[in-house]
Amino acid sequence: MFFEPTETNNDAAEQQRVDAIVARGPGGAFALAGAALAIVMAIWIAFYFLVFVARGGD
């Protein structure tokens, strides 16, 4: 369900709230991307050591 305000006399306060949120930047997106990258790199390193190095590195 979407919230749709019925009165538009609070536009200035709503715009200030949106501006404050946007000013904080995409910190959560960077944190999520960093965590995903760390997981992928950990899997790649584990695969490298458990498969290639275990076989003798050929």
Side-chain angles (χ1 to χ4, degrees):
M1 183 172 191
F2 295 104
F3 173 72
E4 296 183 16
T6 56
E7 295 184 25
T8 59
N9 60 357
N10 200 10
D11 285 341
E14 185 70 19
Q15 186 62 40
Q16 287 178 345
R17 188 177 72 84
V18 170
D19 290 342
I21 292 170
V22 171
R24 283 186 270 163
F30 287 133
L32 181 63
L37 178 64
I39 291 170
V40 168
M41 291 304 295
I43 291 171
W44 184 84
I45 290 170
F47 184 81
Y48 177 78
F49 281 109
L50 295 174
V51 175
F52 289 117
V53 174
R55 292 183 63 203
D58 289 336

